[in-house]
Amino acid sequence: MNKTISVPKKMEEKYNEIATIIEEFCSVHLNKEYEQLCLQLCAALCRKRPSPLEKGRANTWACGIVHAIGTANFLFDSSQHPTITPKELYEGFGVSGGTGSSKSKQIRDLMKIDYFNTDWALPSKLADNPMVWMISVNGFAIDARNAPKEIQEHAYKMGIIPYIPE
């Protein structure tokens, strides 16, 4: 997936409004890596036809975007860094938990964001995400990092794993 920051002219104002909220939140609570991935997701949502961002409040969309990326990257796991609770995230955007989580679900469903989709994984977390490395060989789920090199190469060429592990 090509995750660029380009957006259609008609969506530039909405993108900038949401992006500003995301940037402010990430600078206080998260980091640049989260910010970049969230901005890429915001741009991807702007490019959808029709864009779901055309309707709704900017802070609600910003919350849903950060929550969606956070969910896919274990942001709410206290053993991870950075970490935040869902309640702190919702409060940071000034939205209710129900609103924030439902917007996140809408985004995750629309963009197919989950633990297995490396398109929305933080680059620094790829190696530690066991779900990214699970592949099926002859009907058995295995960790690609433990597979023979030729299986790893085949899985990489097919786009199933993000890179060939060392």
Side-chain angles (χ1 to χ4, degrees):
M1 168 181 256
N2 180 17
K3 293 181 279 188
T4 65
I5 303 294
S6 66
V7 296
K9 195 83 161 148
K10 131 181 191 183
M11 293 301 298
E12 284 178 356
E13 187 175 328
K14 190 70 165 190
Y15 171 83
N16 290 331
E17 183 182 7
I18 296 168
T20 298
I21 297 168
I22 290 171
E23 289 166 348
E24 289 171 4
F25 182 86
C26 289
S27 71
V28 173
H29 300 284
L30 302 175
N31 60 30
K32 279 289 190 192
E33 189 177 31
Y34 264 101
E35 178 185 310
Q36 188 63 34
L37 202 55
C38 290
L39 294 177
Q40 290 170 346
L41 176 54
C42 185
L45 289 165
C46 284
R47 291 189 298 269
K48 284 281 185 195
R49 293 183 186 226
S51 173
L53 304 184
E54 290 183 70
K55 296 179 181 162
R57 296 177 22 214
N59 66 317
T60 303
W61 281 112
C63 179
I65 289 167
V66 174
H67 189 281
I69 293 296
T71 298
N73 288 284
F74 307 97
L75 177 63
F76 310 118
D77 179 344
S78 61
S79 70
Q80 299 295 309
H81 181 75
T83 189
I84 192 170
T85 67
K87 182 180 179 194
E88 291 168 328
L89 187 138
Y90 304 139
E91 288 173 355
F93 289 100
V95 303
S96 71
T99 299
S101 64
S102 67
K103 194 59 75 176
S104 171
K105 175 84 168 99
Q106 179 184 352
I107 293 167
R108 286 180 281 134
D109 289 348
L110 182 65
M111 302 302 291
K112 297 174 179 47
I113 298 172
D114 61 26
Y115 300 119
F116 296 99
N117 186 340
T118 60
D119 289 338
W120 302 108
L122 295 170
S124 66
K125 303 275 185 191
L126 276 177
D128 298 329
N129 183 344
M131 305 311 247
V132 168
W133 300 102
M134 297 307 293
I135 62 173
S136 178
V137 177
N138 296 328
F140 293 100
I142 65 165
D143 187 325
R145 294 170 292 188
N146 300 323
K149 192 71 152 181
E150 58 272 7
I151 290 176
Q152 291 176 352
E153 289 169 352
H154 183 69
Y156 175 73
K157 285 178 188 169
M158 292 183 65
I160 298 171
I161 59 174
Y163 58 86
I164 299 172
E166 305 249 349

